[in-house]
Amino acid sequence: MLDAAMVFAVLVAAIWVGESEYIEYNTTQRIVPDKINVHMVPHSHDDVGWLKTVDQYFVGANNSIRGACVQNVLDSVISSLLEDKNRKFIYVEMAFFQRWWRQQSKAMKIKVKELVNAGQLEFINGGMCMHDEATPHYIDLIDQTTLGHQFIKDEFGKVPRVGWQIDPFGHSAVQAYLLGAELGFDSLFFARIDYQDRAKRLKEKTLEVIWQGSKSLGSSSQIFTGIFPRHYDPPDGFTFEINDVSPPIQDDMLLFDYNVQERVNDFVYAALAQANVTKTNHIMWTMGTDFRYQYANSWFRQMDKFIHYVNQDGRVNALYSAPSIYTDAKYAANEYWPLKVDDFFPYADHPNAYWTGYFTSRPGLKGYVRVMSAYYQAARQLEYFKGRNETGPNTDALADALAIAQHHDAVSGTERQHVASDYALRLSLGYEEAERSVASALASLVNQRLSLHGVNLATDFQQCPLLNISYCPPSETTLVDGKSLVIVVYNPLAWKREDVIRIPVSSFTGNLFILFLVGVWYALYKMYSITSKSTVAALFHLPVDRVSTAHVFVRDLAGNKIESQLLPLSNATLTMRRHYVRAYKGKAPGSDVLKYWLAFPVSVLPLGFSTYKVTSCDQSCHSSTISKMYRPEGSTDKSIKVGQGNLMLLYSADEGKLTHYVNSRTLVTASVAQSYSYYSGNDGTDKDPQRAQKSHIVSPSSTKKCPICSKIATKPKKEPKNDWAFFRSGRCSTLLPK
Amino acid sequence: MGDDFQYQYAESWFKQMDKLIHYVNEDGRVNALYSTPSIYTKAKNAANQTWPLKTDDYFPYADRANAYWTGYFTSRPALKRYVRMISGYYLATRQLEFFVGKQSTKYNTIGLGDALGIAQHHDAVSGTAKQHTTNDYAKRLAIGVSEAEAVVSSSLACLTSNLSSDQCSAPASAFAQCQLLNISYCPPTEDSIPDAKSLVVVVYNPLGWKRTDIVKIPVNDANLVVKDSLGNNLEVQYVDVDDVTTNLRKLYVKAYLGVSPKQAPKYWLLFQASVPPLGWSTYFISKATGKGTRTEDISQLSSQKGETIIIGPGNLKMSFSSTSGQLKRMYNSRTGVDIPIQQSYLWYGSSEGDSDPQASGAYIFRPNGSPPTIVSRSVPTKIIRGPLVDEVHQNFSSWIYQVTRLYKDKEHAEIEFTIGPIPTDDGVGKEVITRMTANMATNKEYYTDSNGRDFLKRVRDHRDDWPLQVTQPVAGNYYPLNLGIYTKDKKSEFSVLVDRATGGASIIDGEVELMLHRRILHDDGRGVGEPLDEQVCVDNNKICEGLTVRGNYYISIDKLGTGARWRRTTGQEIYSPFLLTFTHENLNSWKSSHVTKGTIMDPNYSLPPNVALITLEELDGGIVLLRLAHLYEPSEYAEYSTLTKVELKKLFAKKTIKELKEVSLSANQEKSEIKRMTWKVEGDNGQGPQGLRGGPVNNPNLVVELGPMEIRTFLLKF
């Protein structure tokens, strides 16, 4: 009898007799001086929110919208890098990397640190997100970048060298010099420039330039800038995600469709085509695009083969590289580069596709981001004054939320609605925590001060983030029974400042309510403030005499009376308040008992605060002046003059339109008109479907503008303190403070 | 935890399953674990439960009321035939490879084995793959065949050579083979035979029985002499190659080979070959010495006289109406079985979906509700008679051609159908059937095979396992045929065998239908995403037409209880036809250097008629894989449904078996090592009959016993 083991071994061998040999791919290639060097830069462009929220992208949820899971990217990239030390990868968005890093074991963290130290994994750009360049404030850009760079420094001891703004829709001068050169970056890379500009640069080999974005800082603000020949994806036919359609290299002779020579030829032709539009013998292939490398081996396997076979072929030199290596090679080439000044706005990728709509898209979110930005600035000051509380409440969550909100599909307004809601949710959560931090910081400051005046305060404060729609429960409360409303105003600017603040007050008169001792605190948002980043006010109740809010007066802490004015709340504001308070808080704001804005001037020292008391009084006291209505209808004047200071605006009495601007101090007199119009969005049903109005793109259906307000109801209120011109028609209202 | 082509990034699954196992077990209401079907099976077995007993099978499958997956029993009939033909060829080539020893690695049958293995995939031979994928399967098969042809050529050359096997490693003569013989394409037989040379035809018989069959080759000369190995002149018959075949040949040779064939041959030359079991016979065809055509051998067109035409040179007769051309009756003069029977072609209009959007497609057969349309009630008919075969050629339509053949020594009718291109210019997909209606009271019952092996009883509109709601009275009664289908009444059996996987049914008593071809204009929504609309293209896809399918089915009428013998024996012959190889050589010099007739077996031995040699293959290292199969079920045929014996020493008469080991079917473990779990069956008292199996093989006499339906597998060393 046969030995069974022998028999079965033979049977197996019979089946596998056609086995092909293991091929060890040579991926060791480095730069070769005399050849075209194809720097293959593996990357994944991971939007910190767009079609899905940042966390949905990270964990791979909501995949019916898009199969994208950043966890898979990082998990699989790391294991691919560990398999071959010649492989490289760059990572850009620290919001994602942080999420991933938190979840790793100690052993994995050690391995990843080794990859970083070996240059296999390189952080570039390195902010929390790849921020937008058109719609964020530069302070937000600095903050979000600092947050990411601090993380990289703390965890890895590394400093990113390269700016990688590959996707934003146009590029700003500030990006080039401030978020580029001033960060210590050696280079900046991106993809999107105007199609006409690109065509010219391709022709003239000027896609790579030295960009001097600052008019002020001269050559010290220059940065080497590379614009990709087409986009941030690989040349056609070289994308290798699991379901991509590029033909993989099939180098197993025993299988059908062996294609090594054909694919090597494709590679060489694509490289030569790019070399033809690129200075020096170094070209970069961005090997990746949105949310790629979800199974990294699918890419690296092909790149290994390309590097192996292309270098065997020898016509060009293919290597794993990174933008930093590429930059060094460009630098070493000792070339002259054209100088670029100013910026890359606006961006069009097509004759009818100007990406200028997103400058305005989602103005509600844009406003919210800006308000939060200013609040964050002030809150950090106060947090510092009191001493930061590591375990919270602190400003960290707001910092994260704001950083993510700078993403080029966040504040830009180009994300899906549910994602925009997610950004707003994160901001509001961050705000809530910061609000508590501010409340406690300011309470401690105020109490130090008030104790000098022998006053003792409750330390619980309220702030009013919805002041712009006249929602501020603590100020709306009827002041009775000897209680005062105390307002603390914080000035985050470093110079002394005088300004007018407004708070909504109740219309009840003479009613006697018992008020509890409640500390309240609100933030005041001044929509007309241009120079100030923010004004923060705090208010709370003190026991005072019985009052009615129609008869209130304002005193400073020393007891000096401050002139104040009551302005009626417009229906437009009250309508907004009803709807938006409910949308924001989940409950109705209560009955509309408000009738007035109480306005009064405040004076606050740099980085300081002032305290004011609002007290009700009986009919006889010298209370706040109630604004009087001026009705132009009965007037014989042809024009209405508004303004009691140097500046005066003139409105036509019959049409209610602004006609003139007069400054009696500077002697400037100008005729001026102002009105509202709208462009009809193009639905793309004409010959060019690109013209459909999308969130990125402005493309009016025609150049004709449609006026909204033809006949304007004008209600100027003439009073000693403030002139307010209020205009209203069916769809728009304007409040011009002066 | 998976689905089609999942785990392309496995971590994505495992990360989630890790979490589920962790948290679900923390929760504790249920227990979650990583497992495998084997662990699951052990757990089920350990549960010591009793389980319900299931017999028969799970065909047909429907996933909804109007969605019977019975279309794929026929889908892509050309691929199905290609696979079956090559399967038989692979069996024969491995035998030949073994006979001479798997000596060189230059050519082998591994490529063909792989191609056939892949072709068995449930979206390959099933006909449910996309067209380009189907082409890929066919290409793999063609490549495998071309390599196996070289194995056959060199093996046969070596086997038939006078020289010892180590001396014939580089055989002088190369044998040509003709894969396209069914469309009359065979250059070595079509070419004129050089003077002083003969067309040498070596016929190999892969069956374990001696066998006599008709050899049929295309020739251009009707003045040939066929001699057997003893030098006897054989009776021959010439039949004109019909126009339908000539036209097919023109298009399909070009489609297959990429080049247009020469002018079509004029005749089929038929002669009877007699070949030993696992052996070969040589025939020599040469020009007759006399001049002119030997007209007496050319088949005569029969003039139609009287109401009825009766054909059949042997015991089986068929009568046709001389006016309509319709088949009227079959009778066997030896057995006395006599059955009125009609046969016609019809098509079901494919449903394109209605209130239920389910369309007929590659998987699903859903007729559009109309009764099947009869292609033709009156058929132009041509009768050809001769000494070896009578043929009835019938033009059912411009796209259906049928030839009925009755051979001298056969008691069945061979029906060759040529169907296509199926017209679809009326916008209706068509599923073409042949319908045979016998005057028999079959009591709703019919029998179809299971993968060509067991026959299972089918009862129309009925399932044993549940009360069937009949929603599709036709599609729901279709079953897959690989061997065939039969019905019976109190006296007779009516059997039909197929040459490939085919859907079949008996929709009314006495009726049997085969779905032979289908061309459909809609997808049925089960994933393939292409309408089953097969085209054949030439000239870089510039010229395309709907696929034409040619094939055979076989009809026999037998006395009740005797049909099995015909079905089993003929089934083997259909699966393993003679393997024909050709060369040109001088008759005498051939005879002096070759053995013209021989077998590897003991010349006086033959496998018993109820046993088939289903695998004989040399593996690496000189180990030989042998499988023997008993062909009958218990009680299927009294004489043959018995324990039977194979004498291995006589089977391998020229070699000495040194070692033998019985192994499992796939030869991956010793038979004695197979550990079967025991399960408790509901209602089983342990008294049920054990199947009859052969006993262990004793070493000195090496006799293998086989019980009914038993297959035994051995590894041998010589």
Side-chain angles (χ1 to χ4, degrees):
Chain A
M1 289 286 159
L2 280 175
D3 175 61
M6 179 276 284
V7 169
F8 300 131
V10 167
L11 191 60
V12 167
I15 291 163
W16 289 105
V17 75
E19 191 187 11
S20 61
E21 283 190 358
Y22 169 74
I23 301 171
E24 192 176 328
Y25 299 107
N26 180 1
T27 56
T28 59
Q29 203 71 7
R30 302 292 181 259
I31 288 168
V32 173
D34 302 327
K35 281 187 179 174
I36 291 167
N37 289 278
V38 182
H39 293 252
M40 299 172 82
V41 175
H43 78 106
S44 178
H45 176 65
D46 300 341
D47 287 301
V48 180
W50 179 36
L51 307 179
K52 307 203 297 189
T53 68
V54 55
D55 286 348
Q56 288 167 354
Y57 273 130
F58 180 68
V59 301
N62 221 348
N63 268 3
S64 63
I65 292 176
R66 167 132 197 203
C69 173
V70 174
Q71 268 187 108
N72 282 349
V73 174
L74 286 164
D75 283 346
S76 69
V77 161
I78 295 303
S79 74
S80 282
L81 293 181
L82 291 169
E83 275 171 33
D84 179 352
K85 62 180 168 46
N86 296 305
R87 292 173 173 174
K88 293 185 188 302
F89 197 78
I90 52 173
Y91 206 75
V92 175
E93 297 86 3
M94 289 305 115
F96 284 130
F97 194 84
Q98 270 189 357
R99 279 164 168 75
W100 184 82
W101 186 246
R102 268 205 307 274
Q103 299 177 359
Q104 300 311 304
S105 67
K106 273 185 188 161
M108 177 56 88
K109 285 185 177 180
I110 289 167
K111 284 183 193 167
V112 173
K113 283 180 180 175
E114 283 166 1
L115 291 175
V116 172
N117 285 331
Q120 276 189 265
L121 177 64
E122 181 174 336
F123 299 110
I124 63 171
N125 223 30
M128 296 299 282
C129 64
M130 184 183 294
H131 51 228
D132 186 40
E133 297 183 38
T135 62
H137 195 278
Y138 74 93
I139 291 178
D140 287 334
L141 299 181
I142 294 170
D143 282 343
Q144 85 87 12
T145 304
T146 304
L147 213 51
H149 283 196
Q150 286 300 327
F151 167 78
I152 296 167
K153 185 74 180 170
D154 290 348
E155 294 291 337
F156 300 96
K158 292 287 177 189
V159 176
R161 289 183 50 202
V162 175
W164 190 257
Q165 289 286 115
I166 58 177
D167 195 26
F169 334 120
H171 300 279
S172 71
V174 154
Q175 175 64 39
Y177 81 89
L178 194 60
L179 281 307
E182 292 291 313
L183 287 174
F185 283 177
D186 294 319
S187 56
L188 169 64
F189 295 93
F190 49 78
R192 296 187 187 273
I193 59 165
D194 186 279
Y195 70 103
Q196 296 174 14
D197 190 9
R198 187 192 305 281
K200 182 165 181 284
R201 289 178 185 280
L202 281 165
K203 215 160 116 190
E204 296 174 355
K205 280 196 186 186
T206 53
L207 281 167
E208 292 174 327
V209 299
I210 301 297
W211 188 2
Q212 183 173 317
S214 170
K215 295 188 289 290
S216 317
L217 300 173
S219 63
S220 70
S221 69
Q222 291 176 351
I223 187 165
F224 176 82
T225 300
I227 303 155
F228 303 142
R230 183 184 66 182
H231 199 50
Y232 54 78
D233 54 349
D236 286 340
F238 298 92
T239 57
F240 298 107
E241 200 69 7
I242 285 173
N243 291 323
D244 280 345
V245 297
S246 295
I249 289 194
Q250 206 297 80
D251 57 349
D252 184 339
M253 293 279 199
L254 295 180
L255 305 185
F256 284 0
D257 307 325
Y258 183 90
N259 64 1
V260 171
Q261 193 54 50
E262 193 183 324
R263 293 265 58 204
V264 166
N265 288 343
D266 293 342
F267 189 102
V268 171
Y269 299 150
L272 293 177
Q274 189 169 339
N276 278 339
V277 296
T278 310
K279 272 194 183 179
T280 79
N281 60 345
H282 295 278
I283 61 172
M284 188 200 294
W285 280 15
T286 46
M287 298 305 294
T289 182
D290 298 8
F291 297 100
R292 295 308 200 270
Y293 292 72
Q294 293 195 58
Y295 176 48
N297 199 37
S298 180
W299 286 84
F300 282 112
R301 180 194 288 132
Q302 295 305 320
M303 288 189 288
D304 286 356
K305 292 185 184 189
F306 274 111
I307 290 171
H308 179 83
Y309 291 112
V310 165
N311 293 334
Q312 267 182 1
D313 175 276
R315 280 174 285 175
V316 300
N317 182 48
L319 66 152
Y320 280 122
S321 186
S324 56
I325 295 169
Y326 180 79
T327 304
D328 291 342
K330 289 282 170 179
Y331 182 72
N334 207 20
E335 263 283 347
Y336 283 96
W337 304 95
L339 185 71
K340 161 72 183 172
V341 293
D342 60 61
D343 64 7
F344 290 94
F345 284 115
Y347 164 58
D349 57 351
H350 184 114
N352 292 317
Y354 276 86
W355 297 49
T356 51
Y358 83 95
F359 299 162
T360 300
S361 297
R362 300 193 186 280
L365 178 67
K366 283 183 164 70
Y368 196 39
V369 169
R370 189 60 52 86
V371 171
M372 288 298 114
S373 170
Y375 185 78
Y376 173 55
Q377 186 80 328
R380 276 186 295 175
Q381 293 173 357
L382 289 163
E383 187 176 38
Y384 161 72
F385 295 149
K386 179 171 183 256
R388 178 183 154 77
N389 186 347
E390 285 296 337
T391 55
N394 57 39
T395 56
D396 291 358
L398 183 56
D400 277 342
L402 265 172
I404 289 171
Q406 308 311 316
H407 169 57
H408 60 272
D409 286 311
V411 66
S412 61
T414 53
E415 66 280 43
R416 287 204 176 181
Q417 183 57 54
H418 80 103
V419 180
S421 304
D422 183 75
Y423 291 123
L425 176 65
R426 287 169 190 280
L427 287 168
S428 71
L429 292 172
Y431 167 79
E432 273 174 23
E433 198 184 331
E435 188 184 54
R436 278 182 279 138
S437 168
V438 164
S440 86
L442 206 56
S444 87
L445 293 177
V446 167
N447 273 333
Q448 285 171 29
R449 176 83 60 84
L450 289 186
S451 61
L452 302 175
H453 297 266
V455 183
N456 217 354
L457 277 179
T459 54
D460 217 8
F461 292 88
Q462 286 186 25
Q463 296 158 71
C464 293
L466 303 188
L467 203 55
N468 67 328
I469 51 168
S470 76
Y471 181 70
C472 186
S475 78
E476 293 170 31
T477 312
T478 307
L479 295 172
V480 291
D481 216 12
K483 295 189 173 93
S484 293
L485 176 68
V486 175
I487 303 169
V488 177
V489 182
Y490 175 71
N491 172 20
L493 295 185
W495 58 68
K496 181 170 184 271
R497 181 164 176 199
E498 287 174 353
D499 231 327
V500 174
I501 68 165
R502 291 189 301 148
I503 56 171
V505 291
S506 159
S507 63
F508 289 152
T509 58
N511 290 329
L512 300 180
F513 282 24
I514 293 170
L515 286 190
F516 298 98
L517 186 70
V518 183
V520 293
W521 161 240
Y522 74 104
L524 179 64
Y525 165 55
K526 293 178 69 187
M527 62 185 284
Y528 51 88
S529 167
I530 296 162
T531 52
S532 69
K533 274 299 288 178
S534 168
T535 303
V536 178
L539 52 102
F540 50 92
H541 291 274
L542 283 176
V544 290
D545 295 333
R546 287 177 185 176
V547 293
S548 66
T549 48
H551 301 278
V552 293
F553 62 97
V554 180
R555 282 182 295 194
D556 64 17
L557 198 60
N560 302 316
K561 189 147 185 213
I562 307 290
E563 190 172 27
S564 62
Q565 179 181 348
L566 286 167
L567 296 109
L569 277 162
S570 68
N571 283 336
T573 302
L574 288 172
T575 304
M576 275 189 89
R577 179 181 189 271
R578 267 197 300 278
H579 185 64
Y580 281 82
V581 169
R582 191 159 175 210
Y584 190 87
K585 310 280 290 184
K587 59 182 187 199
S591 59
D592 290 328
V593 296
L594 295 183
K595 203 163 180 185
Y596 299 107
W597 289 109
L598 171 64
F600 60 93
V602 298
S603 174
V604 195
L605 292 170
L607 299 183
F609 61 91
S610 298
T611 308
Y612 298 89
K613 275 199 284 190
V614 179
T615 312
S616 64
C617 63
D618 58 26
Q619 303 285 336
S620 62
C621 76
H622 182 70
S623 66
S624 172
T625 308
I626 297 183
S627 309
K628 285 175 190 158
M629 285 296 187
Y630 175 82
R631 300 198 178 279
E633 288 84 359
S635 167
T636 51
D637 293 343
K638 282 247 163 77
S639 67
I640 306 156
K641 292 182 183 137
V642 180
Q644 44 197 287
N646 293 331
L647 178 65
M648 191 176 292
L649 295 180
L650 274 64
Y651 291 83
S652 68
D654 49 347
E655 283 191 291
K657 284 181 177 167
L658 178 63
T659 57
H660 289 88
Y661 172 103
V662 179
N663 188 320
S664 56
R665 183 177 62 81
T666 59
L667 300 178
V668 173
T669 298
S671 101
V672 51
Q674 184 263 344
S675 65
Y676 287 93
S677 307
Y678 65 87
Y679 297 101
S680 294
N682 190 297
D683 61 6
T685 53
D686 64 5
K687 274 176 281 179
D688 182 0
Q690 262 293 312
R691 293 182 63 191
Q693 203 95 11
K694 292 184 189 132
S695 53
H696 300 71
I697 293 167
V698 175
S699 179
S701 57
S702 74
T703 50
K704 200 176 138 202
K705 290 182 286 187
C706 308
I708 292 173
C709 319
S710 47
K711 171 83 176 162
I712 301 163
T714 310
K715 291 197 297 181
K717 301 168 196 79
K718 290 200 151 194
E719 280 311 317
K721 192 68 225 162
N722 294 306
D723 276 8
W724 306 85
F726 177 70
F727 310 95
R728 181 173 174 93
S729 80
R731 279 177 287 195
C732 56
S733 57
T734 307
L735 193 56
L736 281 182
K738 194 213 99 2
Chain B
M1 297 305 295
D3 202 341
D4 299 7
F5 296 102
Q6 303 299 294
Y7 289 75
Q8 291 194 55
Y9 180 50
E11 188 62 26
S12 183
W13 284 86
F14 283 112
K15 188 191 283 278
Q16 296 306 320
M17 286 188 290
D18 287 354
K19 290 183 184 186
L20 284 173
I21 289 171
H22 179 84
Y23 291 114
V24 164
N25 294 335
E26 260 181 11
D27 175 275
R29 278 174 290 174
V30 298
N31 182 48
L33 67 155
Y34 280 117
S35 187
T36 65
S38 60
I39 293 169
Y40 179 80
T41 305
K42 275 182 199 155
K44 287 283 173 181
N45 189 247
N48 210 23
Q49 276 268 345
T50 55
W51 305 95
L53 185 69
K54 162 72 183 170
T55 56
D56 60 64
D57 64 5
Y58 290 94
F59 284 114
Y61 164 58
D63 56 354
R64 315 200 264 105
N66 292 317
Y68 277 87
W69 299 48
T70 52
Y72 84 89
F73 299 160
T74 299
S75 296
R76 302 196 186 278
L79 177 71
K80 284 182 163 70
R81 175 57 190 159
Y82 197 42
V83 169
R84 184 61 50 84
M85 179 181 96
I86 290 170
S87 171
Y89 186 73
Y90 178 53
L91 189 150
T93 56
R94 281 179 294 169
Q95 293 174 354
L96 291 166
E97 191 177 34
F98 157 71
F99 296 154
V100 298
K102 207 172 177 180
Q103 47 198 332
S104 85
T105 52
K106 194 175 179 193
Y107 300 112
N108 57 47
T109 56
I110 289 170
L112 184 55
D114 282 350
L116 267 171
I118 290 173
Q120 307 309 314
H121 170 56
H122 62 269
D123 284 312
V125 68
S126 61
T128 53
K130 282 190 187 281
Q131 185 61 52
H132 80 98
T133 309
T134 304
N135 296 345
D136 184 78
Y137 291 125
K139 181 176 163 189
R140 288 169 191 279
L141 289 168
I143 292 170
V145 164
S146 68
E147 198 182 341
E149 273 183 345
V151 174
V152 167
S153 175
S154 65
S155 298
L156 262 186
C158 200
L159 195 63
T160 58
S161 162
N162 273 339
L163 304 169
S164 71
S165 60
D166 11 318
Q167 290 173 287
C168 72
S169 54
S173 44
F175 288 101
Q177 294 157 73
C178 292
Q179 304 294 342
L180 303 186
L181 211 50
N182 67 330
I183 51 170
S184 77
Y185 180 73
C186 186
T189 67
E190 293 174 44
D191 292 347
S192 73
I193 301 160
D195 291 339
K197 282 198 174 180
S198 292
L199 170 64
V200 180
V201 183
V202 176
V203 181
Y204 176 70
N205 171 21
L207 295 185
W209 317 305
K210 177 175 188 280
R211 176 174 178 192
T212 300
D213 245 327
I214 296 290
V215 169
K216 185 178 156 191
I217 53 176
V219 294
N220 276 305
D221 187 347
N223 195 23
L224 300 171
V225 177
V226 180
K227 288 182 194 297
D228 67 12
S229 52
L230 299 173
N232 302 315
N233 281 6
L234 297 185
E235 190 167 35
V236 299
Q237 182 178 344
Y238 297 92
V239 179
D240 287 342
V241 175
D242 57 73
D243 291 347
V244 170
T245 301
T246 302
N247 289 334
L248 266 182
R249 179 182 186 273
K250 200 169 158 188
L251 177 68
Y252 281 79
V253 168
K254 188 164 186 196
Y256 191 87
L257 295 175
V259 289
S260 294
K262 294 186 302 184
Q263 203 182 350
K266 294 195 189 86
Y267 312 106
W268 290 106
L269 167 65
L270 285 75
F271 63 92
Q272 208 168 38
S274 185
V275 189
L278 296 185
W280 68 96
S281 292
T282 312
Y283 296 88
F284 302 92
I285 301 172
S286 53
K287 287 180 185 166
T289 43
K291 297 272 178 192
T293 305
R294 287 165 35 129
T295 47
E296 66 270 24
D297 297 326
I298 296 184
S299 305
Q300 299 302 303
L301 282 183
S302 177
S303 51
Q304 306 180 0
K305 287 171 196 158
E307 264 186 34
T308 305
I309 308 154
I310 297 171
I311 64 150
N315 295 328
L316 182 68
K317 307 289 181 193
M318 295 174 97
S319 70
F320 294 83
S321 158
S322 59
T323 48
S324 69
Q326 293 280 1
L327 175 65
K328 290 166 73 177
R329 194 169 138 236
M330 289 177 78
Y331 63 98
N332 186 316
S333 59
R334 181 180 62 82
T335 61
V337 178
D338 184 343
I339 303 179
I341 181 167
Q342 286 143 18
Q343 184 263 337
S344 56
Y345 286 91
L346 303 91
W347 51 265
Y348 293 101
S350 307
S351 174
E352 52 189 70
D354 41 43
S355 57
D356 176 348
Q358 180 62 59
S360 208
Y363 308 86
I364 282 162
F365 172 33
R366 186 186 180 203
N368 64 11
S370 310
T373 304
I374 298 177
V375 169
S376 149
R377 291 178 190 280
S378 180
V379 187
T381 299
K382 191 169 77 178
I383 311 291
I384 293 164
R385 294 179 195 274
L388 298 174
V389 66
D390 283 0
E391 294 188 347
V392 181
H393 289 241
Q394 295 180 294
N395 258 310
F396 281 79
S397 75
S398 61
W399 52 278
I400 298 184
Y401 191 74
Q402 173 174 287
V403 183
T404 304
R405 296 191 174 95
L406 296 187
Y407 294 98
K408 190 175 75 171
D409 291 335
K410 301 283 181 192
E411 293 194 350
H412 64 248
E414 173 189 294
I415 317 283
E416 184 191 68
F417 57 88
T418 305
I419 302 174
I422 298 174
T424 52
D425 41 9
D426 57 358
V428 179
K430 296 180 181 62
E431 319 198 23
V432 182
I433 61 165
T434 176
R435 186 165 79 183
M436 291 147 280
T437 311
N439 187 12
M440 292 169 75
T442 54
N443 195 28
K444 291 188 165 182
E445 293 171 5
Y446 49 112
Y447 298 81
T448 66
D449 67 277
S450 185
N451 303 107
R453 188 92 178 119
D454 308 69
F455 272 97
L456 273 58
K457 182 162 97 176
R458 312 300 188 179
V459 180
R460 190 179 320 116
D461 295 338
H462 171 83
R463 306 286 187 269
D464 279 352
D465 288 349
W466 77 94
L468 178 69
Q469 259 194 308
V470 179
T471 58
Q472 287 285 319
V474 175
N477 285 307
Y478 259 73
Y479 287 88
L481 315 181
N482 278 282
L483 179 52
I485 179 171
Y486 68 94
T487 57
K488 61 189 184 188
D489 64 9
K490 287 176 179 156
K491 290 189 302 186
S492 320
E493 294 177 26
F494 175 69
S495 307
V496 181
L497 298 186
V498 295
D499 66 347
R500 73 196 69 188
T502 305
S506 172
I507 302 299
I508 54 171
D509 278 1
E511 184 252 24
V512 165
E513 64 183 58
L514 306 177
M515 185 182 291
L516 297 174
H517 196 3
R518 45 204 318 257
R519 186 178 185 190
I520 303 174
L521 306 176
H522 296 270
D523 179 61
D524 53 8
R526 291 304 185 283
V528 69
E530 263 181 16
L532 184 73
D533 180 7
E534 294 180 275
Q535 311 262 333
V536 168
C537 299
V538 292
D539 292 341
N540 288 323
N541 297 336
K542 280 199 275 265
I543 299 169
C544 295
E545 63 173 51
L547 176 69
T548 298
V549 168
R550 168 170 279 188
N552 295 293
Y553 59 94
Y554 305 84
I555 305 174
S556 179
I557 51 171
D558 298 275
K559 278 185 165 170
L560 184 66
T562 65
R565 181 180 166 173
W566 175 77
R567 290 190 293 269
R568 294 300 182 182
T569 306
T570 309
Q572 286 298 300
E573 291 171 357
I574 296 168
Y575 180 75
S576 288
F578 278 155
L579 197 166
L580 305 179
T581 62
F582 310 97
T583 189
H584 288 99
E585 185 55 85
N586 179 278
L587 188 147
N588 290 323
S589 65
W590 183 272
K591 281 190 165 180
S592 64
S593 59
H594 289 83
V595 181
T596 53
K597 187 169 186 171
T599 170
I600 62 127
M601 287 164 53
D602 180 326
N604 298 313
Y605 186 68
S606 165
L607 284 187
N610 51 6
V611 174
L613 176 69
I614 59 168
T615 312
L616 178 56
E617 174 179 7
E618 181 179 333
L619 308 176
D620 285 355
I623 292 158
V624 175
L625 178 64
L626 170 71
R627 287 194 191 93
L628 295 165
H630 195 300
L631 292 174
Y632 289 79
E633 298 177 62
S635 319
E636 192 178 355
Y637 183 65
E639 189 185 343
Y640 292 163
S641 294
T642 53
L643 191 74
T644 189
K645 291 175 182 174
V646 174
E647 297 179 52
L648 296 186
K649 285 181 174 172
K650 291 185 176 171
L651 177 56
F652 300 107
K654 291 176 178 169
K655 299 186 180 213
T656 306
I657 298 171
K658 288 185 189 142
E659 291 172 343
L660 174 144
K661 184 175 290 286
E662 182 163 15
V663 292
S664 64
L665 187 66
S666 61
N668 65 346
Q669 57 185 323
E670 279 193 63
K671 182 89 175 173
S672 59
E673 287 172 345
I674 298 176
K675 292 185 199 73
R676 286 178 52 82
M677 286 175 159
T678 52
W679 300 85
K680 294 198 291 190
V681 179
E682 282 176 10
D684 183 10
N685 55 10
Q687 306 294 304
Q690 286 281 326
L692 181 61
R693 287 175 180 271
V697 179
N698 294 321
N699 220 348
N701 44 10
L702 292 173
V703 173
V704 177
E705 293 179 338
L706 295 136
M709 276 291 117
E710 192 176 12
I711 295 177
R712 298 183 73 173
T713 308
F714 300 95
L715 292 173
L716 309 177
K717 205 166 184 191
F718 294 91

